[in-house]
Amino acid sequence: MKNISILGAGWLGNPLALQLNSNGHQLKVSTTTPEKISFFNENGIESFIVNVGSNPETDNLDNLLTDTDILIITIPPGRTQKVEDNYVDKIKAVVPFIEKHGVKNVIYTSSTTVYLSLEGNVNEETPIVPVSEMDQQIFEIENLLLNNQNFNATILRLGGLIGEDRHPVHFIVRKDIVTEANNPVNMVHRTDIIRFVEKIIENEIPNDVFNIVAPVNLNRRDFYTQEANKLGLSPLPKFTDNPNADMRKVSGEKISKKYGIDYLYLLD
């Protein structure tokens, strides 16, 4: 049994907390939604309101991180980032609390968008050249955590997120045309993410980077057609190819090999 705190119990952090709690771990979580406090309490999970920023609630962060063996940070960047709402500053504000409470292990859910400027097959050893402001911030946070000598940090670069209640095909079928249909697919199901996090927690937390991306060999046209057929969605949009497509295909093989488990979802 380990004492685990999750900073950001949202779309991923919420079911992750429930799963780890059912595995016998002691869980504490943060949320920005007061209505969730009673839900977590009913499930035997301590919860605290924390709005991470340049002036986080010190008492609640202290309560969250006291006696924590592993901190899991699942705070996603916003879809748009204003100058006064810097994502790096949000995570930086938490680091002194991690150090203060002697938390020795951190897991941070990053994103494969850091590979956005690249082409062809990419993996964790591929040099990163972030181009957008958001990707630069994510990459900066990765290095901020990896280079901190006070704790081990595992960086999980997640592909496009899919779950029972979240599937981009619902958006796709509402479009008239889907361009670049011959591009590869870099996605992962929430259940597989949780399975890999469970496995990491069972072992020593490595100071390392892992992609979590399902081995989908279909292009966007074939993948979305397959998924729409599974869900009985129609009509399908018109798909058009990019004649110069050489988009990145992200490998999620490293984490699968290290922990000896395979992806179960989104397979061809």
Side-chain angles (χ1 to χ4, degrees):
M1 191 269 290
K2 296 178 181 177
N3 296 326
I4 301 171
S5 296
I6 297 179
L7 185 60
W11 183 83
L12 174 59
N14 188 330
L16 175 60
L18 295 175
Q19 181 62 41
L20 295 177
N21 187 54
S22 71
N23 291 345
H25 298 293
Q26 190 69 38
L27 265 293
K28 292 190 288 185
V29 303
S30 81
T31 178
T32 59
T33 308
E35 292 76 17
K36 287 185 178 180
I37 296 294
S38 59
F39 167 79
F40 286 117
N41 289 341
E42 290 169 2
N43 284 278
I45 297 174
E46 282 192 271
S47 57
F48 306 92
I49 298 294
V50 177
N51 289 288
V52 176
S54 56
N55 295 300
E57 296 88 339
T58 57
D59 289 345
N60 284 352
L61 261 179
D62 282 329
N63 291 331
L64 180 72
L65 296 180
T66 297
D67 299 324
T68 294
D69 300 318
I70 302 171
L71 170 64
I72 304 175
I73 302 174
T74 61
I75 300 176
R79 292 185 180 276
T80 60
Q81 289 293 314
K82 300 177 182 178
V83 173
E84 64 270 22
D85 187 27
N86 188 287
Y87 185 52
V88 175
D89 288 344
K90 286 186 176 184
I91 306 303
K92 275 185 176 179
V94 178
V95 172
F97 291 87
I98 299 174
E99 297 171 345
K100 172 184 177 181
H101 290 281
V103 180
K104 297 303 181 185
N105 301 289
V106 175
I107 297 174
Y108 169 66
T109 55
S110 182
S111 171
T112 55
T113 63
V114 295
Y115 300 115
L116 193 60
S117 65
L118 305 178
E119 298 178 345
N121 295 323
V122 300
N123 58 32
E124 295 84 350
E125 304 303 317
T126 305
I128 300 296
V129 186
V131 289
S132 74
E133 173 64 24
M134 193 68 263
D135 297 338
Q136 291 173 19
Q137 290 191 33
I138 293 173
F139 192 50
E140 183 176 344
I141 291 167
E142 289 186 356
N143 287 292
L144 173 75
L145 298 175
L146 287 169
N147 294 326
N148 192 299
Q149 300 301 308
N150 296 290
F151 50 79
N152 287 325
T154 294
I155 307 299
L156 303 178
R157 292 175 179 161
L158 308 181
L161 302 175
I162 289 181
E164 292 78 6
D165 57 346
R166 175 176 177 168
H167 200 309
V169 72
H170 292 286
F171 170 74
I172 291 295
V173 295
R174 295 199 298 267
K175 301 182 73 172
D176 294 324
I177 298 176
V178 174
T179 60
E180 300 182 332
N182 53 331
N183 283 349
V185 171
N186 297 296
M187 294 185 178
V188 64
H189 195 280
R190 178 171 56 187
T191 302
D192 273 334
I193 299 171
I194 293 173
R195 291 174 59 245
F196 281 114
V197 172
E198 287 181 280
K199 201 68 175 178
I200 292 170
I201 287 171
E202 290 175 9
N203 298 271
E204 295 293 326
I205 305 297
N207 207 68
D208 206 351
V209 178
F210 299 97
N211 301 324
I212 305 187
V213 181
V216 178
N217 294 316
L218 303 177
N219 60 26
R220 296 179 74 209
R221 173 194 292 102
D222 295 339
F223 175 76
Y224 285 123
T225 299
Q226 169 186 279
E227 296 300 297
N229 289 337
K230 285 181 184 178
L231 297 172
L233 300 176
S234 62
L236 290 173
K238 178 182 178 181
F239 292 99
T240 63
D241 289 346
N242 175 4
N244 301 313
D246 189 19
M247 296 296 291
R248 69 207 175 283
K249 176 60 182 171
V250 181
S251 171
E253 185 178 21
K254 175 181 173 181
I255 193 169
S256 182
K257 283 187 173 181
K258 179 174 178 64
Y259 293 104
I261 57 174
D262 296 324
Y263 292 84
L264 297 181
Y265 293 81
L266 306 183
L267 306 184
D268 301 350

